Amino acid sequence: MVKIYSISVLLAPPSQTSTVLASASDLSQFSFYQKGSVGEFLAFFARTVVERTPQGQRQSVQENNYTAHVYNRGGAEQLAAVIITDQEYPVRPAFSLLTKILDEFIAKVPQSSFNNPSSISFPDVQVYVSKYQDPTQADTIMRVQQELDETKIILHKTIESVLERGEKLENLVERSNALSAHSKVFYKTAKKQNDCCVVM
Amino acid sequence: MPVQDRTHEFIACVDSIISRSSIPSRRDAKQKLLQNGKSTTKSEFSRMASGIGKEISSTNLKLGKLSQLAKRKTLFDDRPVEISELTFIIKQDLASLNKQIATLQTYVKQKKSQGAKSEDGKQVDEHNKNVVTLLQSKLADTSVAFQEVLEVRTQNMKESKDRTEQFMYTATSAASQPPSNSVLFNPRGDPMGDGSLSRFDSKRPQNGDMLALNLEAAEEGSGSQNGGAFMQMQMVEQQDSYIQSRSTAIESIESTIAELGQIFMQLANMVAEQGETVQRIDADSHDIAANVSGAQRELLKYYASISSNRWLMLKIFGVLIVCFLVFILVS
């Protein structure tokens, strides 16, 4: 069951501790008492992995059932984004999601507030968590692929029905041939009736 | 260039010049030089220079063989061991040639600083310098050709890899191949090692100080690079794998669309064929309609004739009844 557990954006200066700038998580499947500890674990996992990823690199780390995909973008803002999912989440859309989130974050949040994590409000993260639970719908490439596959199935069915139509048409042709022959005979007989019996 | 012995011409030239010139005091020295020209006491310099020239020509031969091997485009009969051995040998040769030319140059400089202020010495100096320049340019040409051959080789390897992918359909093996070819399959345009791209542009070393090829660094570089390149390759792979997976996804979309196109074409064909059948049915039903209406007309005519015949019938019946009556009355 593909699922995202959390997405976070972190400030990751190289070889220093990282700070979480924005994060959102979906812990609905855990019981109430577990939510707290799981949330803490996810945050810790995210920070550790980001600190160990060099700038400009993407990495995927697996830990029990949780897989973290990290993209440390570096650059002027020294940002990194982490997405923690289960093991079945497809890798490539995860990374494109990370890139997209980082771009939006940089566009929307001014750099001055990077030192003040609590002042940053980036609600899109939560939106993304809920939207991307089903990667096939949210990721463009996967959606296109899916629609194309559906179209292909529909086309296959269409071709089958066209074949059936062909059969029926053949049937019709035969029948109309026979009918035509019979009607000819009918006509000739009727004609003969007229000429043959001048008897009475 | 075939080696010709033009010593006679040389001697004749010099003789004529002497007879024309007016420096009689040097005649003896020059005659001695001339006589020595035929003997085998070559100077140190010319010995070294000729040795270097021979090595350059042998390296060129090996390079020709390597280029032939690299040009082969077969999928299966590739001989990577030979090719890599040859590459290694040629690289070593180039490196040693470089060193020899360097020593030659220092020797020339030494001689210049030591030596004679005489006209003789100057000419010899210039000749030496020219010879060194010539050797360096030859070496530069060889190494340029070497680089081209390596590029051709990497291109062919890429093509053969694509072809094997087509036949064997293992797209994931692409990511795992680079480390084994790191000697040859380095990032584009950098076949001799780290970052020394500009070397090959200096085909003609202007001043003798600049060695045309910094192969020593390249040797060390490629030695340790095989370990470092592996790590680099892995990191590059990571980047590459994301990008590659994107490109494969998009390629699969493209192929799906192409398939869809083909399916549509098939559909259109089938419908066209069936259209022809429909036309036959149409023609048949026209015939049927004509026949049936004709038959109906005939029947109507018949009916009309029968109903119009009634009066005749009455008359005939009347005659019959009269005959019957006659017959009954008679009997």
Side-chain angles (χ1 to χ4, degrees):
Chain A
M1 185 52 203
V2 290
K3 194 163 163 40
I4 302 184
Y5 291 121
S6 85
I7 301 182
S8 357
V9 178
L10 296 94
L11 175 68
S15 46
Q16 291 175 33
T17 55
S18 47
T19 42
V20 177
L21 294 179
S23 125
S25 46
D26 177 12
L27 302 171
S28 48
Q29 62 180 86
F30 301 109
S31 74
F32 178 70
Y33 298 106
Q34 289 181 340
K35 275 187 197 176
S37 54
V38 169
E40 281 180 21
F41 163 70
L42 291 178
F44 169 70
F45 191 23
R47 283 185 44 212
T48 321
V49 172
V50 162
E51 280 163 17
R52 297 202 185 156
T53 310
Q55 294 210 345
Q57 285 296 325
R58 299 179 168 90
Q59 261 193 14
S60 303
V61 180
Q62 218 183 26
E63 164 81 35
N64 291 340
N65 312 343
Y66 304 107
T67 309
H69 305 286
V70 179
Y71 175 36
N72 185 342
R73 189 176 146 159
E77 305 89 1
Q78 298 182 331
L79 288 176
V82 186
I83 174 171
I84 302 184
T85 66
D86 65 350
Q87 291 170 348
E88 294 177 359
Y89 203 83
V91 177
R92 193 197 44 79
F95 283 122
S96 23
L97 171 59
L98 286 176
T99 321
K100 208 161 90 166
I101 285 185
L102 275 176
D103 289 336
E104 275 200 30
F105 190 80
I106 288 181
K108 287 195 181 169
V109 176
Q111 190 161 359
S112 49
S113 55
F114 280 7
N115 296 324
N116 194 0
S118 49
S119 71
I120 296 179
S121 83
F122 189 49
D124 290 343
V125 198
Q126 187 63 46
V127 170
Y128 276 120
V129 169
S130 43
K131 197 167 84 153
Y132 269 75
Q133 288 295 345
D134 183 13
T136 54
Q137 278 312 306
D139 189 36
T140 327
I141 295 182
M142 292 195 81
R143 195 179 63 220
V144 166
Q145 183 72 35
Q146 210 186 23
E147 282 177 7
L148 281 176
D149 289 334
E150 281 170 18
T151 312
K152 214 160 76 156
I153 291 179
I154 292 179
L155 273 181
H156 279 145
K157 286 193 195 150
T158 311
I159 287 199
E160 281 180 26
S161 26
V162 165
L163 279 173
E164 281 180 24
R165 175 177 181 256
E167 262 182 72
K168 288 182 186 161
L169 280 178
E170 291 284 320
N171 220 354
L172 261 184
V173 165
E174 276 177 58
R175 293 232 186 120
S176 65
N177 258 336
L179 194 55
S180 158
H182 283 165
S183 69
K184 236 181 180 179
V185 166
F186 177 37
Y187 181 50
K188 283 192 183 145
T189 320
K191 215 170 178 194
K192 251 192 339 185
Q193 284 278 6
N194 262 345
D195 294 332
C196 183
C197 307
V198 195
V199 177
M200 307 232 284
Chain B
M1 270 194 308
V3 177
Q4 281 181 349
D5 192 13
R6 302 176 87 159
T7 330
H8 305 298
E9 299 176 22
F10 181 59
I11 293 179
C13 276
V14 172
D15 276 339
S16 61
I17 289 181
I18 287 179
S19 59
R20 273 190 252 147
S21 74
S22 55
I23 318 175
S25 57
R26 310 220 47 147
R27 272 185 85 177
D28 301 319
K30 275 200 178 162
Q31 275 184 344
K32 264 199 216 152
L33 264 180
L34 282 179
Q35 281 165 6
N36 282 337
K38 266 197 176 174
S39 69
T40 52
T41 57
K42 292 189 184 169
S43 72
E44 172 90 17
F45 175 77
S46 54
R47 252 183 285 143
M48 285 165 58
S50 61
I52 292 181
K54 272 189 220 153
E55 280 191 33
I56 288 185
S57 57
S58 71
T59 313
N60 272 333
L61 274 176
K62 286 183 211 154
L63 187 64
K65 252 197 288 180
L66 178 68
S67 64
Q68 266 223 334
L69 275 179
K71 277 195 205 142
R72 293 159 59 100
K73 283 191 171 189
T74 59
L75 263 183
F76 301 115
D77 200 12
D78 216 15
R79 284 183 271 180
V81 181
E82 258 189 51
I83 291 183
S84 45
E85 270 183 22
L86 253 183
T87 324
F88 188 59
I89 291 177
I90 290 182
K91 236 199 284 193
Q92 277 186 333
D93 282 341
L94 286 173
S96 69
L97 278 169
N98 220 12
K99 283 190 205 137
Q100 285 178 1
I101 290 187
T103 47
L104 196 64
Q105 237 176 6
T106 47
Y107 178 73
V108 163
K109 280 217 195 107
Q110 236 185 13
K111 257 206 146 181
K112 205 164 89 167
S113 58
Q114 270 180 4
K117 297 277 181 169
S118 56
E119 287 182 10
D120 232 6
K122 257 197 228 165
Q123 277 179 353
V124 169
D125 269 343
E126 227 184 280
H127 168 71
N128 291 351
K129 248 194 286 180
N130 289 341
V131 165
V132 168
T133 318
L134 177 69
L135 288 173
Q136 274 174 339
S137 62
K138 276 200 187 156
L139 186 62
D141 285 337
T142 313
S143 36
V144 164
F146 185 44
Q147 183 200 14
E148 279 172 8
V149 163
L150 281 180
E151 278 182 17
V152 163
R153 165 93 180 123
T154 51
Q155 192 125 16
N156 284 349
M157 270 183 11
K158 255 199 177 170
E159 279 175 17
S160 68
K161 192 174 65 162
D162 286 338
R163 260 178 277 142
T164 42
E165 263 185 43
Q166 255 184 1
F167 293 135
M168 298 199 292
Y169 214 65
T170 51
T172 54
S173 66
S176 57
Q177 276 198 13
S180 59
N181 300 329
S182 64
V183 175
L184 296 175
F185 188 54
N186 279 333
R188 274 280 153 131
D190 198 10
M192 286 292 214
D194 19 34
S196 26
L197 279 173
S198 58
R199 283 170 293 139
F200 292 117
D201 293 338
S202 57
K203 281 187 191 175
R204 267 169 290 115
Q206 303 300 344
N207 45 357
D209 290 334
M210 185 172 78
L211 281 179
L213 303 155
N214 195 5
L215 277 177
E216 300 172 358
E219 271 291 317
E220 293 169 43
S222 54
S224 67
Q225 194 192 22
N226 283 340
F230 197 75
M231 301 253 291
Q232 251 184 355
M233 280 298 162
Q234 275 195 335
M235 303 251 265
V236 169
E237 260 177 50
Q238 184 85 23
Q239 293 285 54
D240 264 356
S241 68
Y242 170 60
I243 296 174
Q244 268 182 1
S245 63
R246 258 178 100 89
S247 78
T248 41
I250 292 184
E251 274 170 18
S252 68
I253 287 185
E254 187 189 328
S255 56
T256 317
I257 293 183
E259 276 178 37
L260 277 181
Q262 279 186 344
I263 292 180
F264 269 115
M265 296 244 309
Q266 274 184 353
L267 192 63
N269 269 337
M270 288 165 71
V271 171
E273 286 172 15
Q274 289 176 357
E276 207 189 288
T277 316
V278 166
Q279 272 183 349
R280 278 189 359 217
I281 295 177
D282 199 28
D284 269 344
S285 48
H286 274 303
D287 286 342
I288 291 172
N291 281 341
V292 167
S293 63
Q296 194 198 19
R297 248 182 311 135
E298 300 294 321
L299 283 180
L300 273 178
K301 266 199 286 185
Y302 187 53
Y303 176 65
S305 72
I306 287 195
S307 46
S308 64
N309 256 348
R310 206 171 288 167
W311 293 111
L312 292 172
M313 296 265 288
L314 273 178
K315 282 179 199 165
I316 293 175
F317 267 131
V319 169
L320 273 176
I321 288 172
V322 165
C323 283
F324 260 132
L325 284 175
V326 166
F327 273 131
I328 289 172
L329 284 175
V330 165
S331 64

